[in-house]
Every structure is written in structure tokens, then in C-alpha cells.
Amino acid sequence: AGRLGGDEFALILPDTNHEGATAVLEKLARALQDPDGDTNGVRCSIGALTISTGEPSADAIVGQADALMYEAKQAGKNRCIIRDFVAS
């Protein structure tokens, strides 16, 4: 885990497929809420990638994940969008 800047963080989950990443990120989002489901003002919009082939650059990965995070924010915030990495 690492902070990219501001309120943006990155997690690297080696050997984790789409389903595994979904489980981890949904658990993370729930952990930010109290047991009653109240967000206490904390919301998270998550953009995540799975990488199944190739070795993309860190810049390419962060760029696509960042775009997905903004897509999540525009779709109503407090959600997670996970897609497979697409080489350009």
C-alpha cells in the first residue's frame, strides 16, 4: 500500500484475480463505514485494474486506474470499478 498524493492511495495485490480484488476492495470500503452503514463523511471511489498479461509501466497502470477512479466518482461516488488492464 502507498499514498500517491492528496487522498489517493495505491494497493498492489500480487497473484490476485478479478474476483479476489473485488472481495478485498469491497471489504476495504465496508471497513470505512461503521456497523450501521454510516460513512461518517468518509467515502471512497475506487478504480482498480487486474493485469493478466504483459508487464505494463507503472505510469500506464496508474493512468488507467486513475481514470477508473474518476469514472466511479462521476457515477455517484462511494463505488468501485474494476477492469482488466488494456495495453495502448
Side-chain angles (χ1 to χ4, degrees), residues 37-61:
D38 182 17
T39 64
N40 294 316
V42 176
R43 296 178 186 261
C44 61
S45 298
I46 300 172
L49 294 169
T50 55
I51 303 167
S52 55
T53 61
E55 294 182 17
S57 70
D59 286 341
I61 295 167

Side-chain angles (χ1 to χ4, degrees), residues 1-12 25 28 32 42-48 58-59 61-73:
R3 182 172 176 232
L4 297 176
D7 61 354
E8 293 183 5
F9 297 85
L11 295 174
I12 298 173
L25 296 173
L28 174 65
L32 293 173
V42 176
R43 296 178 186 261
C44 61
S45 298
I46 300 172
D59 286 341
I61 295 167
V62 171
Q64 285 189 32
D66 199 49
L68 291 173
M69 179 201 56
Y70 282 106
E71 186 178 326
K73 285 182 177 188

